[in-house]
Amino acid sequence: MAPIILVLNSGSSSIKFSLYDGPTEQVTGQISGLGAEPHLNLEAPLSGRQIDRALDTSDGSSHGAALAALLPILNEELGGRPVAAVGHRVVHGGTKHDLPIRITDVVMQELRVLEPLAPLHQPHNLAGIEAAQEAFPEADQVACFDTAFHRKHPWVNDTFALPRSFYDEGVRRYGFHGLSYEYICEYLKQNAQDAYKGKVIVAHLGNGASMCAIRAGQSIGSTMGFTALDGLPMGTRCGQLDPGVILYLMTTNGMSPDEISDLLYKKSGLKGLSGISQDMRALSESDDPRAAEAIEYYVFRVRRELGAMAAVLSGVDTLVFTGGIGENSALIRERVCTDQEWLGIQVDPALNNAGDGAISTQSSKVAVLVIPTNEEEMIRRHTEALLTASPVPA
Ligand code: ADP
């Protein structure tokens, strides 16, 4: 019988969850409002159950309290069948972890050391693991890393031009969104073999955003670096920034590391530029000129990185849009792809508005595709593979 696998994506104020019976998604949902008033949204397509209500927790509003409150609801759906493993999205695996791994105390210590490199995600990912260890003590806990996909990228994309000792101590370009890129590669492998083998650029445009140059399923270059701040502007993160700006903020403005971190991670990007919202849909619907300018900057940076990624690959055969913005915003796709015939990119307006699968014209040299990503499914596959490969914990 296929194992029951729970996939958790734990953030600062939310836990997204998907419960799988084999490859079938049995329950999906999210607990939001952690740290304040937890709220549960749940859908169980097989049983028809839907929940959208405050989550009653007996013990506060932590990740642990929320998972404990979710447990009996999941158990009802499972009818007594045990969860074999919990697969966790962990944003940073450092230099060591280039594959999913069963979580032990030693692994937890290694991952904790990486918290300063991904302050927006890693502490919450680990809080989710601890909560799941408590709620599902019999289940294997598996970590799947966003950095793993990039670990074999070329050295020139791994290093900064700093003295070598910094590289040796781990100051490297890690790259993120690896689970999403991996899912897209697997999708192409199954559905478009030629595209998979060729030169692919994936634009993962969500709240967080990055782009990746991929050849035959292998990461060659990516826009994110040491932390998830670099590259494209994001909802609240700045993207590429001259390091001199940080020196200026420290010396001239007297800002502390915490203040600078808060500025770069939480107050910049679309939110900082527009002064209105971090949400692309809200900005697209706004007639405030600041919203238009924020979008203009966003599109400019995506176009710039598209050229850079194409140069890294010496051309491009397939361009994939994914993530909330990449999948849903015909406007952003259109603006990124306008006047890109020099690259061989030509988008069909009607197909772009439909936004499902191929959106390029018949004569476009580059196939432009919209593919919904599914990081949860990737984590499920990894977790199941690990269970199958070594059913007993080492
Ligand atoms: P996360 O990185 O948190 O998983 P998502 O991948 O869900 O985020 O992407 C969220 C972004 O997608 C938000 O900026 C949201 O406004 C944007 N988005 C979703 N639907 C649309 C749409 N129809 N038009 C424009 N932007 C959209």
Side-chain angles (χ1 to χ4, degrees):
M1 195 184 279
I4 305 280
I5 292 174
L6 175 65
V7 171
L8 295 183
N9 183 351
S10 307
S12 58
S13 63
S14 71
I15 300 176
K16 291 181 189 158
F17 56 87
S18 298
L19 186 69
Y20 294 89
D21 182 353
T24 309
E25 193 176 59
Q26 200 173 341
V27 183
T28 180
Q30 131 158 332
I31 302 168
S32 51
L34 296 180
E37 290 171 8
H39 189 95
L40 175 66
N41 286 92
L42 179 147
E43 261 185 63
L46 295 186
S47 69
R49 190 172 188 185
Q50 285 192 324
I51 299 177
D52 181 359
R53 62 164 164 76
L55 182 66
D56 289 331
T57 59
S58 56
D59 189 20
S61 57
S62 65
H63 289 70
L67 268 194
L70 178 65
L71 189 58
I73 301 170
L74 293 184
N75 277 337
E76 280 170 33
E77 291 297 322
L78 288 171
R81 293 178 62 198
V83 170
V86 186
H88 298 268
R89 179 181 181 200
V90 178
V91 84
H92 217 304
T95 52
K96 185 169 172 188
H97 296 295
D98 58 358
L99 288 172
I101 189 168
R102 270 201 180 81
I103 296 161
T104 61
D105 289 348
V106 174
V107 171
M108 275 303 263
Q109 278 166 21
E110 290 167 354
L111 300 183
R112 217 168 273 300
V113 172
L114 299 168
E115 283 186 351
L117 304 194
L120 221 54
H121 299 97
Q122 192 89 343
H124 313 299
N125 298 161
L126 301 190
I129 292 174
E130 284 176 335
Q133 284 170 330
E134 192 125 313
F136 304 95
E138 305 299 325
D140 280 347
Q141 307 287 333
V142 174
C144 300
F145 302 101
D146 265 318
T147 47
F149 182 71
H150 304 286
R151 276 297 75 225
K152 294 188 183 70
H153 61 188
W155 175 79
V156 285
N157 196 66
D158 203 44
T159 194
F160 296 103
L162 290 170
R164 289 265 181 171
S165 58
F166 289 97
Y167 182 80
D168 296 339
E169 77 176 62
V171 182
R172 303 183 188 189
R173 303 188 76 257
Y174 290 94
F176 298 87
H177 292 131
L179 293 160
S180 173
Y181 294 132
E182 211 180 346
Y183 178 84
I184 298 295
C185 287
E186 297 249 314
Y187 179 92
L188 291 177
K189 198 174 183 180
Q190 279 161 23
N191 298 286
Q193 267 286 333
D194 287 347
Y196 170 76
K197 290 181 195 153
K199 299 166 182 175
V200 180
I201 298 174
V202 182
H204 176 107
L205 310 179
N207 237 326
S210 70
M211 291 170 77
C212 189
I214 301 170
R215 197 183 290 132
Q218 167 71 46
S219 171
I220 305 294
S222 61
T223 59
M224 272 185 173
F226 181 53
T227 66
L229 273 180
D230 203 5
L232 303 177
M234 297 166 236
T236 61
R237 285 172 262 167
C238 57
Q240 190 273 329
L241 188 73
D242 177 348
V245 173
I246 296 170
L247 297 175
Y248 170 85
L249 296 175
M250 286 163 64
T251 55
T252 308
N253 284 12
M255 288 174 77
S256 69
D258 282 350
E259 286 170 332
I260 295 176
S261 173
D262 194 50
L263 173 74
L264 303 184
Y265 276 101
K266 297 183 180 165
K267 294 182 176 155
S268 300
L270 293 172
K271 183 179 178 186
L273 262 182
S274 70
I276 301 169
S277 172
Q278 67 183 66
D279 191 279
M280 182 59 88
R281 189 164 22 191
L283 295 180
S284 308
E285 288 163 3
S286 166
D287 49 19
D288 190 314
R290 295 173 304 162
E293 278 181 359
I295 293 175
E296 199 176 330
Y297 180 80
Y298 186 88
V299 168
F300 172 75
R301 296 301 313 202
V302 175
R303 289 169 66 92
R304 194 173 138 153
E305 294 298 340
L306 178 61
M309 291 293 137
V312 162
L313 287 167
S314 306
V316 51
D317 303 313
T318 307
L319 169 63
V320 178
F321 284 99
T322 193
I325 297 170
E327 291 165 29
N328 298 303
S329 176
L331 172 78
I332 296 298
R333 292 192 302 261
E334 183 214 307
R335 290 186 58 178
V336 168
C337 293
T338 297
D339 294 336
Q340 301 281 21
E341 281 84 1
W342 69 279
L343 251 184
I345 291 174
Q346 218 176 35
V347 158
D348 179 306
L351 292 176
N352 183 40
N353 281 335
D356 182 18
I359 61 168
S360 38
T361 62
Q362 289 286 344
S363 58
S364 180
K365 292 198 184 92
V366 174
V368 185
L369 310 175
V370 177
I371 304 176
T373 196
N374 193 338
E375 289 148 307
E376 287 74 21
E377 167 62 10
M378 208 58 240
I379 295 171
R380 183 200 71 77
R381 288 181 203 169
H382 281 311
T383 304
E384 189 178 279
L386 205 69
L387 287 186
T388 312
S390 58
V392 181

